[in-house]
Amino acid sequence: MGKIKVSEQQKYKHLFKKRPLYKRILSSWLSYLFIAPILIIFIWWWVIPFITSLGLSFCRYDIFNPPKFVGLKNFKTVFTNPVFWVAMKNTAIYTGVTVSIGVTLSLSLAVLLDQKIRFRNFFRTVYFLPSVTSAIAISVVWRWIYSPNKYGLLNYFLSFAKIKPLNWLGELNLILPSVMMMAIWGGIGYGMVIFLAGLQGISNSLYEAAEIDGANAFKRFWHITLPLLRPTTLFIVVWSIINGFQVFEQMYIMVRSIESIGGPLNAGLVVVAHLYEQGFERLRMGYASAVAYVLFAVIFTITIINFTLLKPKD
Amino acid sequence: MKRLIIFLIAIMLITGMTLVGIAEEKVTVTYWHTMGDTEEAALNKVIEMFEEQYANIKIKPTRMAYDDFKPALLIGIAGGVVPDTARLDIIWVPELAEIGALVALDEKMEGFDEIIANTYPGPTSTNFWKGHYYGLPQNTCTQILVWNKQMFEEAGLSGPPETIDEFVEDAAMFSNPDEEIYGYAMGGTYFWAPASIFYAMGGEVTDSGITTATGYINGEKSVAAYQALVDMYRDESLSPLLLGGGGIGVFEGLATGKYAMIIEGPWAQPILNSDYPDFEVNFALVPRGPDVTTSSVVGGENVVIFEGSQNKDEAMLWAKFLLSEESQLTMGEAGTMPTLSTVQGNERLPEYYDVFMEQLKTAKARVPHPKWAEMDNAINNAYQYMLRDEKTVQQALDDAAEEINRLIIEG
């Protein structure tokens, strides 16, 4: 940006002089009117709760009695509560596995469906379909697939390989993998579509030039497609990790039992489910707010690391 | 002119309708519950009778799923959107009373003392928390043995087991895991499920003053009770259903000859009758443990009035009506056991209540404490650890005792 010469600045001074705020708002009142609905919703449902919960995280609050300031006690409880760490571990495993496998699969699918194959649009639609279906509906259907008796769909197919029926959502070491499998299936379509859009942006001439230079398909993918998809990959990785850490609905439907929100012995407990249980079932609003802020800090840190590592090179 | 006339007529019509509306305006009392189909049909009859007697009050019942009920109530209380009245599981009353959500009926309800003079003291006491009564006992229950007579006859047994030893022996004899047949099945690991066996064998959660769990939940008798169940699970005489395996529910399994015995409440009769009309339902007392002073577990529900209600007076009339002889009998016919001692033995009540009444004499109540849900969770986790062989019974219950002590101190 070039600087404006001092003399010119003097000349156009009246343009740079700020008019009072209210005048500026009044002069463009119609514009503000148009953005008002979303702004009000945003402030009411996001900004205010965001600030309130920050305040509450330093208080003891059970909804009925006024909040009582307790300093950093809630955060201390969060870090010393073994249940929180179980939830954090499960969430980290869930995010790590679903994001790494999910992003790889989305990219592979996108590259495959970018070729000129028959029924290309049909396949694209099929893979994208789960992304427009409600997580609740998907979870309910998958519960049936994972049904523990021999009539469960998955167990039924396994019976052809003489595998005894497995208790997918009841065995401690099967609960997380079962939900992760569903989450990956449900998530790859969205990643695929974004990657496909990214692929459209890569000029064909690059591939042609590489081909002339004797680069094989793998080399073309490695040296052209992957580097040029960097901004797309960054977006998808960041988006998936944030979503992974905030996972709730699937877990709530799939693993919640009459005994506990996280399934047997908390084998499927994730951070948001822990937060929900503590806040809305045990009415420990202060503690739940502290959990929310710890989760926020974790996601924030990981996102910054992602941006540093995956930032497109100039 | 024509317009003016039309306008005037319209005004008159609107005013007239509004006046009629005001004259007939009814107070609506909302009532949340977790009843089954049969009970709900009986409830509708009770509502009809009530609305006939109190023409200006309308009862609006809402049926909730048991699992979602308490979270829904808590969120409702937090947001100031509560029903006027509800029928709550007895174990929730201390928790909701502690947070100030319930009306102390002994202070605010006219004729409260006369009503509870006619109710059984056991169920009535479940409404008591820190010096006040926060509800009326609407119905009571306990769990008893339900057995598949055909399976017993085919096995050459004359009748159901009378002692825990016989129970364990019989269950082992029936079991044939390859055919998914088990001697005994329970629906989960939450405390209510094994509670009957636990109390029959002399188990205890805390001392009577609720000051400690050490020496109680991890005491000799409690350990023995859980050990017996874990052994049955290992021998495959207890169905894997309690860990979510197998997928055949208790009633379904009992009626189709997969489970020889289950331990359930009085609702077993209407459920089995409607789902399996050909199945002959047979009840028996929970097998006796070495200690015969206690047995089984007390359940039931209380009707409460919420502090957030705008129609407390009308809600009280409804609560009182639910405790009248006529409604207790109407509900009683549908498998909901009355709490009113004055209707005991009434010919309108089903005969099978006799066994439940007999069992209730020695049945034990769970710990009346606002943190009960978390205590239950601690014991449930312990049960899971032992069944999954992650901890020994003693270890698991020692850890549960520590957790419960922590909950008691937190208060």
Side-chain angles (χ1 to χ4, degrees), chain A residues 62-64 148-150 167 170-172 252 256-260 264-266 276-277 280-284, chain B residues 67-68 71 74-75 77-78 99 180 188-190 243-247 371 373-374 377 380-381 384-385 388 390:
Chain A
D62 65 358
I63 291 174
F64 302 97
N149 55 33
K150 58 186 176 193
N167 189 358
E171 285 300 331
L172 299 186
Y252 190 76
R256 186 191 183 214
S257 57
I258 187 166
E259 295 98 3
S260 116
L265 298 176
N266 290 330
Y276 174 84
E277 187 195 29
F280 295 100
E281 290 185 8
R282 307 250 183 272
L283 299 181
R284 289 188 195 125
Chain B
D67 288 9
D68 303 328
L74 289 175
I75 293 169
I77 293 164
I99 56 177
E180 292 181 75
T189 52
Y190 45 90
L243 292 183
K371 290 276 169 74
E374 283 170 83
N377 194 40
N380 167 46
N381 281 347
Q384 290 263 352
Y385 278 122
R388 295 174 190 274
E390 306 256 337

Side-chain angles (χ1 to χ4, degrees), chain B residues 145 161-164 167 196-197 200 263 285-289 295 359:
Chain B
L145 193 73
E162 286 178 7
T163 66
I164 293 285
F167 171 72
S196 298
I197 301 280
I263 292 179
L285 291 175
V286 170
R288 282 194 312 276
S295 72
Q359 189 81 72

Side-chain angles (χ1 to χ4, degrees), chain B residues 5-315:
Chain B
I5 291 170
I6 293 175
F7 179 73
L8 283 175
I9 291 173
I11 290 284
M12 276 158 67
L13 273 175
I14 291 168
T15 335
M17 282 191 296
T18 317
L19 288 174
V20 171
I22 290 167
E24 286 189 0
E25 198 185 3
K26 284 185 177 184
V27 179
T28 304
V29 171
T30 48
Y31 174 67
W32 290 9
H33 62 83
T34 53
M35 295 180 189
D37 292 341
T38 330
E39 282 181 288
E40 207 174 26
L43 175 71
N44 288 334
K45 277 191 230 163
V46 175
I47 291 176
E48 221 171 90
M49 291 189 288
F50 177 81
E51 287 175 351
E52 224 165 82
Q53 194 172 331
Y54 300 95
N56 62 331
I57 306 176
K58 197 178 148 40
I59 303 295
K60 191 177 163 227
T62 306
R63 176 170 166 175
M64 308 284 291
Y66 182 87
D67 288 9
D68 303 328
F69 194 23
K70 206 175 70 174
L73 277 175
L74 289 175
I75 293 169
I77 293 164
V81 189
V82 283
D84 298 307
T85 57
R87 190 187 78 156
L88 299 183
D89 191 325
I90 53 169
I91 53 176
W92 297 339
V93 173
E95 187 178 339
L96 294 181
E98 177 76 9
I99 56 177
L102 306 179
V103 175
L105 295 187
D106 53 350
E107 282 186 332
K108 301 279 162 65
M109 185 184 262
E110 236 173 88
F112 177 82
D113 294 338
E114 288 91 80
I115 295 174
I116 62 163
N118 289 328
T119 55
Y120 297 118
T124 309
S125 71
T126 63
N127 292 291
F128 192 74
W129 179 248
K130 287 191 178 164
H132 289 289
Y133 285 92
Y134 290 92
L136 287 171
Q138 191 180 337
N139 49 267
T140 184
C141 74
T142 182
Q143 297 193 108
I144 61 175
L145 193 73
V146 198
W147 53 293
N148 183 317
K149 196 174 182 182
Q150 198 187 340
M151 286 174 84
F152 272 77
E153 277 171 358
E154 279 166 14
L157 291 169
S158 54
E162 286 178 7
T163 66
I164 293 285
D165 289 341
E166 285 171 28
F167 171 72
V168 172
E169 208 175 291
D170 289 357
M173 195 202 63
F174 282 112
S175 289
N176 181 0
D178 292 336
E179 298 287 321
E180 292 181 75
I181 293 172
Y182 298 92
Y184 174 43
M186 64 170 80
T189 52
Y190 45 90
F191 184 70
W192 174 257
S196 298
I197 301 280
F198 177 80
Y199 286 132
M201 291 185 73
E204 282 174 288
V205 177
T206 64
D207 59 335
S208 55
I210 321 180
T211 59
T212 181
T214 309
Y216 294 90
I217 188 65
N218 60 347
E220 207 179 307
K221 286 173 182 171
S222 303
V223 172
Y226 271 105
Q227 189 67 57
L229 291 165
V230 171
D231 290 344
M232 286 176 83
Y233 177 72
R234 294 259 179 283
D235 296 345
E236 298 187 288
S237 42
L238 171 58
S239 155
L241 176 72
L242 79 168
L243 292 183
I248 303 173
V250 285
F251 295 122
E252 185 190 355
L254 178 79
T256 57
K258 294 284 184 194
Y259 307 145
M261 296 177 276
I262 61 173
I263 292 179
E264 273 295 337
W267 48 83
Q269 177 90 27
I271 291 177
L272 285 163
N273 280 349
S274 77
D275 292 355
Y276 304 94
D278 298 332
F279 179 71
E280 186 189 325
V281 185
N282 281 285
F283 292 108
L285 291 175
V286 170
R288 282 194 312 276
D291 187 349
V292 288
T293 53
T294 58
S295 72
S296 206
V297 57
V298 179
E301 273 114 357
N302 298 327
V303 55
V304 297
I305 293 162
F306 287 89
E307 275 293 357
S309 163
Q310 301 297 317
N311 310 305
K312 291 199 184 78
D313 294 339
E314 290 80 4

